[in-house]
Amino acid sequence: MSPQRWRQIEELYHSAHESGEAALAGADPEIRGEVEKLLAQDSDTGDKLLDQRAADLIAGFPDAEVAPGTRLGPYKIEAPLGHGGMGQVFRATDTRLGRPVAIKISKERFMARFEHESRLIAAINHPHVCTLHDVGPNYLVMELVEGETLAARLKRGRLSIGQTIRFGSQTAEALWVAHAKGIVHRDLKPANIMLTKSGVKVLDFGIAKSAVDPDVNANIGMLGTPAYMAPEQLEGKEADARTDIYSLGLVLSEMLTGKRSDHPEDLPPALDRVIKRCLETDPDDRWQSARDLKWELESSAQAPAAVSSRFRNTLLAGALVLATLLLAALAFLHFAAEFPSQQVVRMNVLLPEKSRVLSLAVSPDGRAIAMVLVKGGKQQIWVRTLNALEPAPLVGTDDAADPFWSPDSRFIAFFADARLKKIDRWGGPVQTLCDALGVLGGTWNRQGDILIGGLTRVQRVPEAGGAVSDLPGHTAVTETYPFFLPDGRHYVATRDAYASPRQAGVWLSSMDSPEARRILPDVSNAEVVESPGGRMGAVLFTRAGTLMALPFDMKRLEAAGDAFPVAQGIAATNARWLATASQKGVLAYVSGQRGGWRYIWRDRRGSNLGAAGDAGADEANAGVNGVVMISPDGKQLADDRDGEIWLVELGSGVATRLTFGGGMNPVWSPDGRYVAYNKGRGIHRKLANGAGAEELLLRTNGLAFPKSWSPDGRFLIYAQVNPGIGADLLAIPVQADPHPLALAQTPANEDQGQFSPDGHWVAYTSNESGLSEIYVIPFPPTSSGGKWMVSRGGGVQPRWRRDGKELFYISPDSRMMAVDVSTLPTFHAGSPQPLFQTEIVDTGIRTGPMSWDIAPDGNRFLIISANSGDASSLNVVLNWRPGQQK
């Protein structure tokens, strides 16, 4: 019988199953006869309820009543996951064990035979079998499997031979384990095979309909889906292990073709033999065990591929048509004919479990995506080529931020440890190109120029590395996330919320002249995409969480229409929206992550003691510098947001604005009366109660940020920022002549200076060794010098315990480290010990703002943490072009 005939039988069967036998009236006699056989089989298993409505069959749990918060015994319903012929599927929590589960609520009460078999299935413990935890009167409690069904994957096209062998072998292994316990699946199909990051998970061993396959409506009594049934099933005979092997043969064929009931052509002979034997009509002629099938599949991957007869016959024809193809190509070039546009394809790429995306960039050739991920506290670049199953981390890219590609897609440039670096896309040694303190974003053109966005201006670096230089005639203005236009001379960059309303937005500038103009008012990182073979392109940016495209004329360098939406719900981290594209039509973005930062209290074991309010003013954190400064009495904290200083009551969470003309990087005086901060080109202080005017403490030529006030109130440490190079640590007398006193002033980057509680020592961060480490020096500096390295293997953001007996810092993998110290008669430090994983946010400059502080009791830590959960997947759109809306 043809596949089309089977589909007609299948559709009519489901209609009769839902509406009763009245649906058979007027049907083709042959088709009706086959459907009546299937319905009779249902009746033989005790299913007498075909004509009743589903809501009446859910014993005590109608659809309307199964809502979040509903309990089924110890299981608390959280959210719906899907529905199908069996009933509904929900995400739930086992309140006894605190684990997430999937609950399938049936439209029917289970029969005794089914419940007995379910108990056998629950005994299976295998990585490729979805675990059945529990069985209720009409519901199943299953392992919650994150991933994509094979059915959903096949809607995007067929799989490669390698993927087919891998997934097929894992499925055969799952069947083998079940068959060894006397359990036959009976309903193996793509909708019951889940693709996860760890491989295949086979669902529903003879249990139920998959909730994500709306095309088939099989039920418990039927024990199978007609399109994937073996001949003996269709004849009503008893199913055994060989029945599942037949179904797997059909699934293998569908993997290779992307279609049901189509046998693949031109397969390697070994693989072709394996599949054909699966599909033998007589069960005795098939593979007799799933274990044998698994071995044969894996062996077929090692067998040499013979040249098929069809290929040999094609060689001559190929030679004859070669001249025709050449002539066609010449005609194409002569008449400038355009190929028809390719179909847009959308897919989800799974990310490593419990990882968080900080930034991403698609390679210019569209073949790979570089992502900065935080996983297990470690922040590094991962690369996902589009023909790979999983992304892979790049060794040597710890603490990386804002990756961008070379124009030939060979190298990935990134920022780490206040330097610009690059690495081959496949890994290898990391090359340092230049110092890059406080840099956000970069771009690379075909002429060998790299532009980096900085605190004061966009600057140029040669692709081979070297000195950082200003662009001709460009004035000092903060521009971040530059991105080259295709001509390699013009670029777009972001001027942020610290600028005036007339300045904030996306600007178009030139490397060769100071001319610049605003093309968008939106404060967003932006990218430029060109249409192949045409002058029209688009500027991609994000507005209120929606990815937008502004049509752009690449010749006139101006907008060519109104911006239109491309994708909704774009996630953000720091001041960067997580969306990127390539000239080859590959668009990638992250959705579902909420922006915002929170202050989280943790104890010395890392236990979450609760939040102390929001640390961000908007979902993109565009106005947050990431500073935490607890007042000496422990009752308030000072932070900066939207370019102003705010004071937050830790008891109530009430925030009060302290400054109204700008302010960054607040520091408390030791008596809690004043807050010092940066404003423009100077350091100021103001009474913490808000009374009176601010007072200028030091006028500076460049950017300077206060870091720590001495316990006696006489000195203030600050970091003098040298744009693109690094920072130096200096101190000024607060009351006397503010003549700076150099503390650490070298070609390296020194920052985050913190006075010890007795005022005689300063802990700070320096990358003089090539890696940021924590050092301690005496204060005031002595002619004999003296310097001790406290951290081992990297460290940033040092803080002293209030009694001076312990130093804390953040390790490269974001752990809180503790070091026992003594300061009398001289300084001595013990071995660093890890306390807990901090989950501290990435502020973009790990050696800059102090993103955590310690309470006066020395046992509680207030840490800025991300307000969003981990993203499970990356959205990828293939063949996207400017002008195509979602």
Side-chain angles (χ1 to χ4, degrees):
M1 189 173 293
S2 68
Q4 293 80 8
R5 204 69 165 169
W6 266 120
R7 181 170 292 278
Q8 292 173 346
I9 292 172
E10 184 180 344
E11 292 174 352
L12 184 59
Y13 165 79
H14 297 318
S15 296
H17 206 286
E18 294 173 356
S19 305
E21 296 187 6
L24 301 178
D28 179 277
E30 181 182 359
I31 294 176
R32 175 171 180 160
E34 295 293 338
V35 170
E36 287 175 342
K37 289 180 183 178
L38 295 175
L39 294 175
Q41 181 180 345
D42 288 345
S43 298
D44 291 340
T45 62
D47 186 353
K48 305 293 185 181
L49 303 172
L50 293 178
D51 296 326
Q52 297 185 34
R53 296 177 54 82
D56 297 329
L57 296 175
I58 299 180
F61 298 103
D63 292 354
E65 295 183 8
V66 184
T70 300
R71 285 182 178 267
L72 299 180
Y75 306 106
K76 181 180 179 182
I77 300 296
E78 303 291 348
L81 291 177
H83 66 278
M86 175 189 176
Q88 290 182 282
V89 185
F90 296 86
R91 181 188 183 97
T93 299
D94 185 339
T95 58
R96 300 166 302 181
L97 302 176
R99 68 181 173 189
V101 296
I103 291 187
K104 300 187 177 185
I105 301 177
S106 173
K107 295 176 181 177
E108 306 174 33
R109 294 187 64 86
F110 296 150
M111 296 171 293
R113 177 194 56 77
F114 174 80
E115 188 169 349
H116 173 72
E117 184 168 320
S118 299
R119 299 298 178 189
L120 296 177
I121 296 168
I124 300 176
N125 182 15
H126 191 272
H128 296 312
V129 176
C130 178
T131 303
L132 175 63
H133 295 310
D134 197 5
V135 181
N138 73 321
Y139 64 87
L140 304 167
V141 182
M142 312 287 293
E143 172 189 4
L144 182 63
V145 179
E146 303 287 352
E148 179 183 40
T149 66
L150 178 59
R153 168 60 184 85
L154 290 174
K155 289 180 179 179
R156 302 197 303 271
R158 64 185 182 183
L159 303 182
S160 67
I161 289 177
Q163 291 173 316
T164 299
I165 291 175
R166 178 189 174 203
F167 296 150
S169 298
Q170 292 175 352
T171 304
E173 183 176 345
L175 293 176
W176 168 42
V177 172
H179 294 165
K181 292 183 177 292
I183 299 170
V184 181
H185 194 292
R186 301 183 182 90
D187 194 20
L188 188 69
K189 56 187 176 184
N192 283 338
I193 298 174
M194 186 75 76
L195 306 182
T196 75
K197 287 175 285 189
S198 59
V200 157
K201 285 274 192 182
V202 179
L203 314 177
D204 294 353
F205 270 92
I207 293 176
K209 160 81 173 64
S210 172
V212 292
D213 183 3
D215 298 326
V216 184
N217 224 2
N219 68 11
I220 297 167
M222 183 178 180
L223 295 177
T225 300
Y228 298 94
M229 280 184 177
E232 61 268 26
Q233 277 182 293
L234 296 174
E235 295 172 3
K237 295 180 180 178
E238 183 67 22
D240 61 17
R242 297 169 298 177
T243 304
D244 287 345
I245 289 174
Y246 185 97
S247 299
L248 181 52
L250 293 175
V251 172
L252 291 170
S253 295
E254 189 169 345
M255 289 185 194
L256 292 165
T257 63
K259 300 177 181 178
R260 292 180 182 175
S261 305
D262 283 357
H263 186 75
E265 299 179 350
D266 295 330
L267 287 180
L271 181 58
D272 186 66
R273 178 180 63 88
V274 171
I275 295 176
K276 284 182 177 177
R277 187 168 177 183
C278 288
L279 299 176
E280 290 287 349
T281 301
D282 188 339
D284 292 335
D285 294 332
R286 297 176 204 150
W287 303 108
Q288 296 301 290
S289 78
R291 184 179 187 181
D292 291 341
L293 173 56
K294 175 180 183 294
W295 186 90
E296 292 289 342
L297 277 171
E298 292 173 343
S299 299
S300 71
Q302 308 300 324
V307 179
S308 68
S309 60
R310 179 177 177 179
F311 179 74
R312 290 193 298 269
N313 294 336
T314 305
L315 289 178
L316 179 59
L320 293 175
V321 301
L322 179 59
T324 305
L325 292 175
L326 291 174
L327 290 173
L330 290 173
F332 172 81
L333 294 174
H334 179 74
F335 294 105
E338 293 186 357
F339 286 114
S341 59
Q342 294 177 296
Q343 183 180 4
V344 175
V345 177
R346 292 178 170 84
M347 63 181 182
N348 283 7
V349 173
L350 294 178
L351 297 175
E353 188 176 8
K354 295 182 180 179
S355 63
R356 187 170 74 251
V357 184
L358 296 184
S359 55
L360 67 161
V362 177
S363 62
D365 62 12
R367 296 180 179 179
I369 303 172
M371 302 170 283
V372 173
L373 299 181
V374 176
K375 177 175 172 57
K378 193 169 187 178
Q379 177 177 320
Q380 59 186 160
I381 295 175
W382 294 60
V383 175
R384 168 61 151 81
T385 56
L386 295 187
N387 63 351
L389 291 177
E390 297 176 347
L394 287 182
V395 176
T397 61
D398 290 358
D399 299 330
D402 296 331
F404 58 97
W405 291 83
S406 61
D408 61 2
S409 301
R410 178 184 173 188
F411 292 100
I412 302 172
F414 62 96
F415 302 96
D417 208 23
R419 291 182 172 94
L420 173 63
K421 305 179 181 184
K422 72 176 181 181
I423 187 173
D424 190 281
R425 66 183 292 176
W426 303 112
V430 175
Q431 305 174 53
T432 297
L433 302 182
C434 67
D435 291 315
L437 177 67
V439 172
L440 291 175
T443 186
W444 195 332
N445 69 12
R446 294 189 178 277
Q447 291 76 45
D449 301 306
I450 292 177
L451 297 184
I452 56 176
L455 295 171
T456 57
R457 57 177 63 85
V458 167
Q459 295 181 299
R460 176 187 175 275
V461 183
E463 65 180 3
V468 179
S469 60
D470 293 336
L471 299 178
H474 284 228
T475 58
V477 59
T478 300
E479 289 189 323
T480 58
Y481 302 110
F483 194 93
F484 272 120
L485 269 65
D487 64 10
R489 309 309 297 172
H490 293 86
Y491 65 92
V492 293
T494 305
R495 299 186 183 182
D496 61 26
Y498 295 122
S500 68
R502 295 182 60 185
Q503 291 286 315
V506 177
W507 285 68
L508 175 67
S509 304
S510 170
M511 286 184 62
D512 307 312
S513 73
E515 296 180 4
R517 69 177 186 274
R518 189 172 73 165
I519 59 175
L520 286 165
D522 304 86
V523 178
S524 166
N525 51 296
E527 296 189 4
V528 179
V529 181
E530 184 182 22
S531 291
R535 63 186 287 174
M536 300 304 296
V539 178
L540 288 177
F541 66 100
T542 305
R543 174 181 293 165
T546 297
L547 182 63
M548 307 288 291
L550 175 71
F552 200 79
D553 191 316
M554 297 297 178
K555 300 295 184 182
R556 296 179 178 271
L557 299 180
E558 61 184 23
D562 295 330
F564 59 86
V566 175
Q568 306 287 337
I570 305 300
T573 178
N574 299 346
R576 181 167 187 150
W577 296 94
L578 298 179
T580 180
S582 79
Q583 302 296 337
K584 298 297 183 180
V586 176
L587 172 68
Y589 60 92
V590 178
S591 59
Q593 286 182 300
R594 292 179 51 208
W597 295 346
R598 294 187 301 164
Y599 302 107
I600 300 296
W601 284 109
R602 297 187 183 276
D603 62 18
R604 294 179 69 95
R605 295 178 300 177
S607 299
N608 189 325
L609 303 179
D614 293 332
D618 57 36
E619 63 178 340
N621 299 309
V624 181
N625 197 32
V627 176
V628 180
M629 288 286 172
I630 299 177
S631 62
D633 62 7
K635 296 180 179 180
Q636 292 180 288
L637 68 84
D639 71 4
D640 55 11
R641 58 183 78 177
D642 297 324
E644 301 288 356
I645 306 299
W646 291 72
L647 303 183
V648 180
E649 296 288 340
L650 291 176
S652 64
V654 174
T656 303
R657 184 171 173 178
L658 181 65
T659 63
F660 293 86
M664 296 175 62
N665 233 93
V667 173
W668 290 93
S669 65
D671 58 8
R673 293 185 63 219
Y674 289 94
V675 175
Y677 51 89
N678 161 269
K679 179 182 177 182
R681 302 283 175 159
I683 296 177
H684 298 71
R685 74 174 179 180
K686 188 174 182 180
L687 287 168
N689 61 13
E694 65 185 9
E695 176 186 353
L696 177 66
L697 296 179
L698 176 69
R699 178 71 63 187
T700 60
N701 293 326
L703 292 174
F705 299 99
K707 297 295 177 177
S708 179
W709 213 313
S710 65
D712 59 11
R714 296 173 55 200
F715 293 93
L716 185 66
I717 294 177
Y718 69 95
Q720 177 71 51
V721 178
N722 309 304
I725 300 175
D728 297 320
L729 279 179
L730 301 97
I732 55 168
V734 176
Q735 302 297 342
D737 179 19
H739 182 72
L741 175 68
L743 301 182
Q745 199 169 25
T746 74
N749 179 59
E750 294 99 5
D751 206 333
Q752 301 178 333
Q754 298 292 301
F755 274 113
S756 64
D758 62 10
H760 298 312
W761 308 91
V762 173
Y764 68 99
T765 304
S766 174
N767 65 352
E768 62 185 72
S769 67
L771 181 68
S772 290
E773 299 276 9
I774 306 299
Y775 297 87
V776 170
I777 57 174
F779 183 87
T782 63
S783 57
S784 59
K787 180 168 63 176
W788 293 262
M789 186 170 75
V790 175
S791 59
R792 298 291 186 271
V796 294
Q797 302 192 32
R799 296 278 197 189
W800 298 82
R801 201 169 75 187
R802 298 288 176 102
D803 61 6
K805 295 182 179 181
E806 206 170 14
L807 256 176
F808 304 94
Y809 65 89
I810 307 297
S811 69
D813 59 357
S814 299
R815 290 184 296 173
M816 181 66 70
M817 307 295 291
V819 184
D820 290 330
V821 298
S822 60
T823 58
L824 294 174
T826 186
F827 181 81
H828 174 77
S831 299
Q833 301 296 323
L835 295 184
F836 58 89
Q837 193 71 49
T838 63
E839 300 180 5
I840 196 169
V841 299
D842 171 45
T843 62
I845 314 173
R846 289 174 62 89
T847 56
M850 301 286 284
S851 303
W852 74 278
D853 202 354
I854 187 168
D857 62 16
N859 292 316
R860 293 177 298 130
F861 305 84
L862 191 60
I863 302 171
I864 296 184
S865 305
N867 200 28
S868 60
D870 301 332
S872 61
S873 64
L874 179 70
N875 302 291
V876 178
V877 183
L878 306 180
N879 304 320
W880 183 87
R881 298 298 181 194
Q884 291 177 336
Q885 301 187 28
K886 184 176 180 182

